[in-house]
Structures are given as structure tokens and as C-alpha cells.
Amino acid sequence: MNTLQFIRETGIEQFYHQWIQPRLRDKKAIGIAVAIALLYSLHRKITKPPANLRHLPWLGFYKYHKAILSNVTVDQFSRDITLPVMEKSSGAFLQPMVGYWIIQLTDPIAIKQLLQKIDIFPKSKINQGDDGSLMYRFIGGDNILMLNGDDWKRHRKIANPAFTRAMPVKLFGELTTTMFKAMDGLGKKIDVLDLFSRVTIDTIGKAGFGFDFNALTNRNSEWVENYDNVKEGMLDPFFLVFPTCDTTLLKWFPKRQKVHDQLTHFLEMLAGIIEDRRKTMKEARENGTEQLVEAHERDLLTLMIECEENENATLSNEELRRNLCIFFLAGHDTTAFTLSFMIYELAVNPEMQERARKEAIAILGDDPYDKLPDIEDTKQMSYINAVMKETMRLHNPVLSTTAREATKDCVLNGIFIPKGSLVSADILDVHRNPKVWTSPYEFNPDRFLPGGEAEQKTSAGTAWIPFSSGGRICVGMNFSLVEQRVILSMLLRKYKWKLPSDSIHANGLKTHGVAFGIISSTNLDIDFEKRY
């Protein structure tokens, strides 16, 4: 294919006008040559997988990237792009990325073997993005998510006991009551994505590092605006597909530079909090004036600094900051999206909503005031827990685990993985795999009740992995699950809700974010009616 054919067949001119021109500083100076150079280079080098991986079926390079740049919904991507290839496979297929191909596993047994063999399959540096990019600056570097070997064990040694001790159930409940007050001023129809984004940013701010974002009480919070812009910037498909434009060519994209500046401001805030916390804790120990706060209600930063002494391991201020960024992303965005998708499913399935409400009332009572659950209450919420798990199966915010790199030739449940290959557990597709789950696109919480389908499907392999699994399972899993149970149970007692008839989600939840791997949505308005 020559250059002219390439331009015609790939729709390069339309791509230029839609994706490149709006982002440039000088819209006339650089021209379409940038797009031609980038895309034609990709065409010549990486439109087919390397020979040693061609024993696996693969997604078409152009079809995949066209889907990303078109911002297709996750359902469209799952049904139209990956499902046809997945059905031809024995539990794995190849997905094209910029500069490499990655093996996506959809077989539960192969996934279990992958996630258990952390020495053979360490995390790849490819997960962090290019050095200097917005994504690298926020989630890259030396942190618990990206590190391997002894360095990872050192981080985990401090983070594990901190998360074990930190379970601020009282804080979850108090912030939920603050959320109710905020809802009073929003009217009947409420954008739950915005609502839960605010309650979870306040939660992770206070529970993570003792900082009050005032997201619920101040709708014009500078910090919320900064973080939202950073988050949207990381999800921008253009800069994910063309990372050079986020680093070397950044000066050509002034709007992108502004987002980088906002991230710098956010990171400086975290660094200042860490430095001040170390100083005040040291002074308190020396003066004997340490605050008598129960361990489970202390913030994670305080607990991690305490654990440095108890576990004979230390983290630098920079390492602490990078870990707080990971906790922030995982504890805020993914929890907010899960809560939003859960509310949607209960809105379109009113009988399930009422069943969950009856359970909440049976545990917390039906008196007309806001009852805060305690930790023992949350352990009794079997159907609410099933609703949560089914939501994370069908609409899990994270589409796949971070990429691992095979250090030697290996076979995972009959699937040959050559040395040097990148491989990931495909959360989206194993959760929707018709060879694994009955009617996988149907929302059915009963799967996760005792004796349900989930017990059978997960007994031999790993078919439900919203928090990954094995030695590198998400350290904040229980934190997130308890927070969800508290918020949902209190909402069920306080409100009934339904989907507005004019919702863009009337024919199914529309979610996006395939490029970055964390899904989100827009305009998810819900009609709420108070019960008391």
C-alpha cells in the first residue's frame, strides 16, 4: 500500500480534522503531514503481529484503533470487536497497541495460572506509558502497582497492614449523610456520576491522606476541577494512541500543556501533605502528644508512616506520593463508576431494587432517620453484595489487568506464551465470555448468592477478577467493597429511584474508555424520590 492509498483507505483527512487540528497551537502550520507520518509509520511496522504470536487469533489493527478513536461504547467494543475473535480462540487473542501486541486471556484457568506466577510474569514497564506523559506522571514510577521483586515486596509490606487496619466505616456513613444534604439542593433528577465522583473524592481525600476536598459542599472546588481535567486528559484517546504528542511535541498542544500544569499543582499538594505529616507525627512522638484516634479511623498515609517503623521498611516521600496517586485513582474513580452503574441497574430493574431495599431495612431498620451501618452490619448484606459483584462483572470499571511480561516460554492451560510476550487477564471479556457465564450480557445478581453460578464458575479458575487475583490482588479491595455497601444500603433506605424516560441510557448503559482501560459514562441522570 503506498501513501496515497493509505490516506484514502484509512480516512486520514477526516482523522486530521477531528483529532489533530483542534489540539494544535497553530492550526495551519503543521498540517496533515503529522498525521500521515505517524499513521503511515504505524502501518508499515505494526499492522500484523510478530511471527511467534501468530498461532493466536488477533484483532485487526485498523479496526481496533478506529474503534478507539471513534470512542465506541464498551458494549459495542465487546460485542462487535472482541467477541467474534474470542469465539474463535481457545481462551486467548492478540490485541494491537501502539508499538506492540498483547495477549489477552479470556480462559479462567489460564488467568488463574497467570496471576499466580508473579515471578515468571512480572509487571511490564509498558503499563506506565511514556516517561513524561500525563499518564506516567500520575500513575508511573516506583509505586505498589508498577514495581516487581524486592521493591514491590517492600511497598506491599507497608501498604498491606495499613489497609488491613484502615476501615473507616464511620467516615463512609458520615460522608453519605453529607451526600444526602447535597442531593437536597440538586432537585429530583441527579447526575449520579457527578454525585458519586464527589463523595468518593471526599472519601479518599480524608481516608487516604487527611485532606478535605470539600467536593460535596463546594461544587466549584478548585481541586475537584483540577483532578477532573487530569482524569479526562488521561482518558483522551488521541494522546494514548500518539504519546509523542504528550511528550516531545507537547508544545504544539497548549490545552494539553495546561492539563500538565494542573497535574503539577495536584502533585505538589500531595508532596506538601506528606512532608507536613511526617513532621507533625515526629513532633507528636517526641512531645508525647499523639492523637488517640482508633487505628481503623486513621488515614492511610498516617498508617503507612507508622508501618515503616513496625515493619522495618521505609518509603521515600516520592514513593509515598506515587502510592497515594494509585490509591486515589483506584479509590475514587473505579468506586464512583461502580456505584453509578449499580444505581443504573437497580433503576432499570425495580424488583431487584426493592429486594435490596428490604435487606437493608431488615439489617438497619426502617426508622425515618439516617442510620449509619457498622462493620458487622455490612457483613450481613448478602443480596446487596451480590448486586455489587454482578455490577462489577457486567460493568467492571477496569477492562484488564496491567500487562505482564513472560520471562520464559510458558504454557497456560494449553495456550503457548513465548518468552518476551506481553500478556494480560482480559477482565471485560472473561466477565462476558459465553463459554464461561450463562447469558453473560444479562444483569443477574443471583449468580453471586450462595449456591449460584459464580461458585461453580470460579471453583476451578478465575472468572471474576474486578480486583485482579493472586499475590498482586488489589490491596484496597475490602476498603472499596465496604464503602460501596455503606453507601448503597443507606441510599436504599432513604430513596427510591428510576431512570428518566428521556435518558440516553434507556436502551442500555453507554460506557466509554476502551483506550485507557478504565470505563466511564456521561449524562447518567437518575430520578430520586425520598422515602423519609
Side-chain angles (χ1 to χ4, degrees):
M1 182 188 294
N2 61 36
T3 303
L4 291 177
Q5 288 176 314
F6 177 73
I7 293 172
R8 285 195 296 267
E9 294 187 17
T10 58
I12 186 70
E13 185 172 3
Q14 178 183 356
F15 169 82
Y16 168 74
H17 288 300
Q18 180 179 353
W19 288 99
I20 292 188
Q21 190 182 57
R23 292 169 168 80
L24 294 174
R25 178 184 299 277
D26 185 343
K27 293 180 171 56
K28 296 180 180 179
I30 300 171
I32 202 169
V34 175
I36 294 175
L38 289 168
L39 293 182
Y40 190 54
S41 174
L42 292 176
H43 160 71
R44 291 177 61 85
K45 294 180 180 179
I46 57 172
T47 54
K48 286 187 178 181
N52 67 337
L53 293 178
R54 291 180 193 168
H55 60 289
L56 298 171
W58 66 81
L59 303 181
F61 180 86
Y62 292 123
K63 187 175 184 179
Y64 172 76
H65 284 94
K66 181 180 179 181
I68 287 179
L69 293 171
S70 301
N71 205 24
V72 297
T73 67
V74 171
D75 274 355
Q76 288 173 317
F77 182 78
S78 174
R79 292 176 188 267
D80 301 338
I81 307 297
T82 61
L83 184 60
V85 176
M86 186 170 65
E87 289 179 331
K88 300 175 184 177
S89 77
S90 59
F93 63 87
L94 296 174
Q95 180 171 301
M97 306 300 285
V98 179
Y100 62 93
W101 291 76
I102 185 167
I103 301 171
Q104 295 280 25
L105 298 179
T106 60
D107 173 71
I109 296 176
I111 288 173
K112 183 175 183 178
Q113 293 172 354
L114 169 74
L115 299 180
Q116 288 179 338
K117 300 175 185 289
I118 60 176
D119 293 332
I120 298 175
F121 293 98
K123 296 285 188 79
S124 170
K125 290 185 178 180
I126 207 79
N127 297 305
Q128 307 181 42
D130 287 13
D131 192 2
S133 67
L134 195 71
M135 182 168 68
Y136 180 89
R137 294 184 63 211
F138 192 74
I139 67 171
D142 294 342
N143 60 54
I144 193 170
L145 180 65
M146 300 299 178
L147 287 169
N148 293 298
D150 290 340
D151 282 331
W152 168 72
K153 291 176 183 177
R154 175 169 55 89
H155 283 242
R156 189 88 181 191
K157 193 175 183 180
I158 292 174
N160 262 6
F163 270 97
T164 299
R165 296 167 68 191
M167 193 54 66
V169 183
K170 182 180 179 182
L171 174 64
F172 297 155
E174 290 172 344
L175 286 172
T176 304
T177 61
T178 303
M179 182 184 74
F180 291 161
K181 294 175 184 176
M183 293 172 70
D184 288 340
L186 297 176
K188 182 180 180 182
K189 184 181 291 187
I190 296 175
D191 181 352
V192 293
L193 287 162
D194 177 72
L195 180 71
F196 291 134
S197 177
R198 289 175 181 275
V199 72
T200 54
I201 199 173
D202 278 347
T203 299
I204 197 60
K206 290 185 176 181
F209 40 93
F211 184 82
D212 191 352
F213 284 92
N214 291 311
L216 285 167
T217 55
N218 178 12
R219 299 196 64 78
N220 298 313
S221 168
E222 172 196 1
W223 293 111
V224 174
E225 180 182 358
N226 272 11
Y227 178 70
D228 284 347
N229 289 337
V230 170
K231 177 180 66 179
E232 290 174 11
M234 287 195 296
L235 294 172
D236 190 322
F238 174 79
F239 292 101
L240 291 168
V241 174
F242 302 111
T244 300
C245 297
D246 199 23
T247 53
T248 307
L249 305 179
L250 181 61
K251 63 182 180 181
W252 290 353
F253 302 90
K255 292 181 179 178
R256 186 68 171 183
Q257 180 63 66
K258 182 179 178 181
V259 180
H260 273 267
D261 293 341
Q262 289 176 313
L263 176 57
T264 297
H265 190 37
F266 184 85
L267 297 179
E268 288 173 347
M269 178 269 288
L270 288 181
I273 288 175
I274 293 168
E275 187 173 345
D276 289 345
R277 186 66 51 80
R278 281 198 187 277
K279 181 180 178 181
T280 56
M281 288 177 66
K282 180 181 178 181
E283 291 175 349
R285 284 194 300 271
E286 292 174 349
N287 300 330
T289 57
E290 293 176 277
Q291 292 184 343
L292 298 177
V293 179
E294 293 185 37
H296 63 270
E297 293 292 343
R298 294 180 208 159
D299 62 69
L300 288 168
L301 176 59
T302 297
L303 291 169
M304 289 178 72
I305 294 174
E306 290 176 350
C307 287
E308 288 182 337
E309 298 178 0
N310 300 333
E311 301 298 330
N312 194 28
T314 59
L315 298 179
S316 68
N317 284 5
E318 176 67 9
E319 289 173 324
L320 279 172
R321 183 190 65 73
R322 291 186 179 276
N323 278 313
L324 288 182
C325 285
I326 295 297
F327 300 156
F328 194 88
L329 182 68
H332 167 231
D333 288 309
T334 56
T335 301
F337 295 148
T338 299
L339 285 164
S340 300
F341 304 152
M342 203 182 320
I343 293 299
Y344 166 83
E345 287 293 353
L346 293 181
V348 298
N349 293 285
E351 72 288 350
M352 297 178 188
Q353 181 185 151
E354 189 56 32
R355 185 175 172 185
R357 179 172 295 108
K358 288 180 178 178
E359 180 176 80
I361 289 172
I363 296 168
L364 302 174
D366 202 15
D367 296 321
Y369 63 87
D370 299 333
K371 172 72 182 298
L372 275 61
D374 59 31
I375 190 65
E376 294 304 317
D377 291 329
T378 65
K379 295 176 182 178
Q380 301 178 52
M381 299 175 181
S382 58
Y383 187 71
I384 288 173
N385 198 53
V387 169
M388 290 162 43
K389 287 188 172 183
E390 177 68 346
T391 301
M392 288 182 278
R393 183 196 65 81
L394 187 57
H395 307 297
N396 194 62
V398 180
L399 298 186
S400 64
T401 64
T402 47
R404 272 72 167 171
E405 185 170 349
T407 57
K408 63 180 183 180
D409 288 348
C410 189
V411 176
L412 301 176
N413 198 32
I415 302 166
F416 177 61
I417 310 294
K419 179 182 178 179
S421 301
L422 296 172
V423 58
S424 175
D426 188 337
I427 300 174
L428 171 69
D429 290 309
V430 74
H431 283 184
R432 299 184 178 201
N433 190 341
K435 298 177 182 178
V436 177
W437 298 96
T438 304
S439 303
Y441 288 88
E442 176 187 341
F443 185 79
N444 178 15
D446 285 354
R447 301 178 201 270
F448 290 94
L449 292 176
E453 179 184 19
E455 287 186 2
Q456 305 165 21
K457 301 299 181 183
T458 59
S459 58
T462 305
W464 185 80
I465 48 170
F467 299 97
S468 189
S469 186
R472 302 204 63 154
I473 193 168
C474 175
V475 70
M477 178 180 70
N478 289 329
F479 185 98
S480 175
L481 292 175
V482 172
E483 181 184 3
Q484 291 178 48
R485 291 185 196 117
V486 169
I487 293 175
L488 182 58
S489 63
M490 292 180 68
L491 272 167
L492 286 162
R493 291 184 70 253
K494 182 95 172 181
Y495 296 95
K496 293 183 177 181
W497 59 87
K498 63 182 179 180
L499 190 71
S501 58
D502 60 349
S503 173
I504 65 169
H505 305 278
N507 296 318
L509 181 63
K510 299 182 185 299
T511 57
H512 303 272
V514 172
F516 183 59
I518 295 181
I519 68 172
S520 61
S521 189
T522 56
N523 301 318
L524 190 49
D525 293 333
I526 299 291
D527 285 340
F528 285 90
E529 178 185 351
K530 276 188 175 182
R531 295 184 65 247
Y532 62 85

